[in-house]
Amino acid sequence: MAVYTEVPDDELEAFLEPYGLGRLLSYKGIAEGVENSNFMLHTDKGIFFLTLYEKRVAKNDLPFFLGLMNHLAGKGIACPVPLRNARGDMLGELAGRPAALITFLEGVSVRRPQPRHCAALGEALAKFHLAGRDFQLTRDNALGVSGWRPLFEASRARADEVVGGLAAELDAELRTLESNWPKALPQGVIHADLFPDNVFFIGEKLSGIFDFYFACNDALAYDLAICLNAWCFEHDGSFNITKARALLQAYTGVRPLDAAELDALPLLARGSAMRFLLTRLYDWQNRQPGALVQPKNPIEYVKRLRFHRGIASPAGYGLDA
Amino acid sequence: MAVYTEVPDDELEAFLEPYGLGRLLSYKGIAEGVENSNFMLHTDKGIFFLTLYEKRVAKNDLPFFLGLMNHLAGKGIACPVPLRNARGDMLGELAGRPAALITFLEGVSVRRPQPRHCAALGEALAKFHLAGRDFQLTRDNALGVSGWRPLFEASRARADEVVGGLAAELDAELRTLESNWPKALPQGVIHADLFPDNVFFIGEKLSGIFDFYFACNDALAYDLAICLNAWCFEHDGSFNITKARALLQAYTGVRPLDAAELDALPLLARGSAMRFLLTRLYDWQNRQPGALVQPKNPIEYVKRLRFHRGIASPAGYGLDA
């Protein structure tokens, strides 16, 4: 939640000129996204979204992210689309940073998803996975199974401050995940961060998905496991099997899971819990006193991880055997 | 520049319902204003601005601010207008805070005002002063001449850290201002904070003025003196008499200054420089390391204050004698 970069109006007008959007009527820095500076623009041609990529986003990854959005929109997926300027470029430079002008996606995030929202998400996720199949660019998942051990080592020494014995628990869990992680599941482009704040609804209808800045290539079912963690637990930490069933049934209605994916689901859910646990643990240990946005306590994901360890089969997520 | 309060979507929808604006299509926290939380809303009926008043704004002052905006808009002044809900109220409550829904004002702030912008500002300021004449509510200027001494005392001990001898210089200046401050100038509602970031332009045309949260009753010419400081100095600190002349001529073209106001102009400009110097000095001394928004260095206003001490008559600001 931040605007890191201020954009002088004259530089903004020069940047906008080759897009041919008419007069600039208004622009506001918006408090959205922690990695980039975002602005909402109003011109004679409508409302647009301007993103300036700050240093935490690797410039080399931008053609993948922007190309993916463009590809998905071409396949009918509701998502923001980068505009091309008169030179045909989706990526420009503004205030010394890589910058893109993107269509504005209407909608509101749901704070407390209901089963019907989970069903809409499941359908949208499966369609996203199908639409991504013929996208040509690729990007490794830096936060996939091979990235977890280094992240853990960076946080290990003070992990027990979160909850006693956590370092040993995570070490053992990581060994299990590393030894048993499935290598042969169907792969493709995954969103990798499809939390409720990255999905918009208008009324009951899902209006779009966005924030593709963690997207990468990995097992498709792993993306579904991320959504299980992100959408199917209550604020008190309890698992809601009705929501999970709605998510999984809607997903498999569009893209059926094969036997290996079904078998792997509990382990993938453990891995996904581990991934968010580790980044939250790191951010938690490295938080700045007095910062406007405080990182989330990782304990929530310790509980999710433990929950998934107790699940033996997809039936534990509401799928019939 | 901040959103201090997060607003749950269900509470927002309940708040909006009595305004009859249709479906909520989008809302974004925007990085504007340091005192309040601001959101841009899009509904079936258009774009609106939602402000949640945080604790630095006195709740008792809100009827004055909102009533003033409503009054000004009724007089044809281009400014945001608070909406009334089905109960006829301009002020509601949301997320435990006083909240108002306000029309969205199009436009872009000018970072480097040119003489033509200063002329447009002068005309708008004079019209604002005339429009405010029959506004019934009143509000004292807490940051007027009688408020400067206490502010100075709170910052005096470390004032010399900004520039050697500053404490003694301000003490002497304050004595001069307190002894000579004109009491009988034409009074009315003043904006009191009409910096370039509180004025919008679309292309060359001034599209509106906003941020009335310092508005109060005081000498009208004092408001003009604030604009001299806020609009007529270059980024390098030098005074631009062409801009001052444009501002003053446009203002007096709508509302002529009387002889006492003309005489008082240099002293009012000193007082206005003192007022911003003192709040900046206080904020500077009390800044938080690591805060997202760092206060501005007060030295800029020390230089302005010294400049105005050297001005003997309105001719120094480009007005013919």
Side-chain angles (χ1 to χ4, degrees), chain B:
Chain B
M1 188 205 286
V3 176
Y4 295 103
T5 301
E6 293 214 12
V7 179
D9 50 320
D10 46 354
E11 285 186 42
L12 177 58
E13 300 209 10
F15 173 84
L16 290 177
E17 203 282 326
Y19 288 92
L21 299 176
R23 285 176 312 164
L24 178 62
L25 298 178
S26 145
Y27 71 107
K28 308 272 183 213
I30 72 168
E32 201 164 274
V34 287
E35 310 289 329
N36 302 318
S37 299
N38 291 305
F39 299 83
M40 222 171 135
L41 264 66
H42 191 184
T43 82
D44 286 328
K45 294 287 172 70
I47 303 177
F48 302 92
F49 205 81
L50 171 70
T51 297
L52 270 61
Y53 298 97
E54 303 291 343
K55 58 177 182 284
R56 281 185 65 169
V57 174
K59 194 174 173 181
N60 290 342
D61 285 335
L62 291 175
F64 177 87
F65 299 139
L66 297 174
L68 176 61
M69 292 156 80
N70 189 54
H71 175 86
L72 293 171
K75 297 273 176 180
I77 301 295
C79 69
V81 197
L83 276 66
R84 293 185 191 271
N85 61 26
R87 294 180 296 273
D89 300 329
M90 292 191 287
L91 191 62
E93 191 179 295
L94 182 55
R97 284 153 181 83
L101 198 60
I102 297 170
T103 57
F104 184 76
L105 182 69
E106 301 274 15
V108 173
S109 293
V110 180
R111 191 157 300 231
R112 295 184 189 82
Q114 299 304 309
R116 63 184 184 276
H117 299 115
C118 296
L121 171 75
E123 183 184 335
L125 182 69
K127 288 180 175 171
F128 162 72
H129 286 164
L130 295 179
R133 278 185 304 192
D134 55 351
F135 181 55
Q136 296 298 313
L137 302 180
T138 60
R139 178 173 180 265
D140 284 345
N141 188 1
L143 293 171
V145 62
S146 62
W148 299 338
R149 176 70 61 183
L151 209 47
F152 171 61
E153 294 303 338
S155 310
R156 179 180 203 146
R158 291 169 45 216
D160 286 5
E161 293 174 13
V162 171
V163 52
L166 185 60
E169 179 179 350
L170 295 185
D171 189 28
E173 177 73 20
L174 271 178
R175 265 181 278 125
T176 305
L177 292 170
E178 286 158 353
S179 308
N180 298 289
W181 197 250
K183 304 265 186 317
L185 301 179
Q187 306 280 308
V189 179
I190 69 168
H191 184 286
D193 194 39
L194 203 48
F195 279 69
D197 47 355
N198 290 330
V199 179
F200 274 163
F201 288 82
I202 296 177
E204 298 296 300
K205 195 174 173 327
L206 188 151
S207 63
I209 61 178
F210 56 101
D211 199 344
F212 295 92
Y213 301 110
F214 286 95
C216 55
N217 293 78
D218 206 331
L220 298 177
Y222 175 63
D223 219 8
L224 189 54
I226 290 174
C227 291
L228 275 175
N229 279 312
W231 289 72
C232 304
F233 287 80
E234 301 303 310
H235 288 193
D236 68 3
S238 64
F239 179 69
N240 185 321
I241 197 168
T242 307
K243 295 181 181 177
R245 181 182 294 120
L247 169 67
L248 294 173
Q249 284 184 343
Y251 182 93
T252 55
V254 177
R255 181 186 166 267
L257 296 175
D258 69 23
E261 288 178 301
L262 285 170
D263 275 355
L265 213 46
L267 195 79
L268 295 173
R270 286 164 69 172
S272 148
M274 175 64 82
R275 172 255 179 271
F276 290 100
L277 196 170
L278 289 173
T279 49
R280 289 193 181 185
L281 181 62
Y282 183 87
D283 292 343
W284 183 254
Q285 291 182 349
N286 294 281
R287 66 192 184 277
Q288 302 292 323
L292 205 60
V293 181
Q294 284 297 336
K296 293 168 183 158
N297 192 318
I299 192 74
E300 192 186 328
Y301 271 82
V302 176
K303 292 178 185 163
R304 278 166 170 63
L305 176 58
R306 290 174 180 169
F307 170 81
H308 295 301
R309 264 205 304 261
I311 300 292
S313 82
Y317 300 120
L319 274 188
D320 300 328

Side-chain angles (χ1 to χ4, degrees), chain A residues 131-311:
Chain A
R133 278 185 305 192
D134 56 350
F135 181 55
Q136 296 297 314
L137 301 180
T138 60
R139 179 174 180 265
D140 284 343
N141 188 1
L143 293 171
V145 61
S146 61
W148 299 338
R149 177 69 62 181
L151 210 46
F152 171 61
E153 295 303 338
S155 309
R156 180 180 202 143
R158 291 170 45 218
D160 286 5
E161 291 174 15
V162 172
V163 52
L166 185 60
E169 181 180 348
L170 295 185
D171 189 28
E173 177 72 20
L174 272 178
R175 265 180 278 126
T176 304
L177 292 171
E178 287 158 352
S179 308
N180 298 289
W181 197 251
K183 303 263 184 320
L185 299 180
Q187 305 281 308
V189 178
I190 70 168
H191 184 286
D193 194 40
L194 203 48
F195 278 69
D197 47 354
N198 290 331
V199 179
F200 274 163
F201 288 81
I202 296 176
E204 298 295 301
K205 195 174 173 329
L206 188 152
S207 62
I209 62 179
F210 55 101
D211 199 344
F212 294 92
Y213 301 110
F214 285 96
C216 55
N217 291 78
D218 206 330
L220 299 177
Y222 175 64
D223 219 9
L224 189 54
I226 289 172
C227 292
L228 275 175
N229 278 312
W231 289 73
C232 304
F233 286 81
E234 301 302 310
H235 287 192
D236 67 2
S238 64
F239 179 68
N240 185 320
I241 197 168
T242 307
K243 295 180 182 177
R245 181 182 295 121
L247 169 66
L248 294 173
Q249 284 184 345
Y251 183 92
T252 55
V254 176
R255 181 186 166 267
L257 297 175
D258 68 24
E261 288 178 303
L262 285 170
D263 274 355
L265 212 47
L267 195 79
L268 295 173
R270 285 164 70 171
S272 148
M274 175 63 81
R275 172 255 179 271
F276 290 99
L277 197 169
L278 289 173
T279 49
R280 289 193 181 186
L281 181 62
Y282 183 86
D283 291 344
W284 182 255
Q285 290 181 349
N286 294 281
R287 66 194 185 276
Q288 303 291 324
L292 205 59
V293 180
Q294 285 297 335
K296 292 168 183 157
N297 192 316
I299 192 73
E300 194 186 325
Y301 271 82
V302 176
K303 292 178 185 163
R304 279 167 170 62
L305 176 59
R306 290 173 181 170
F307 170 82
H308 295 301
R309 266 207 301 262
I311 299 292

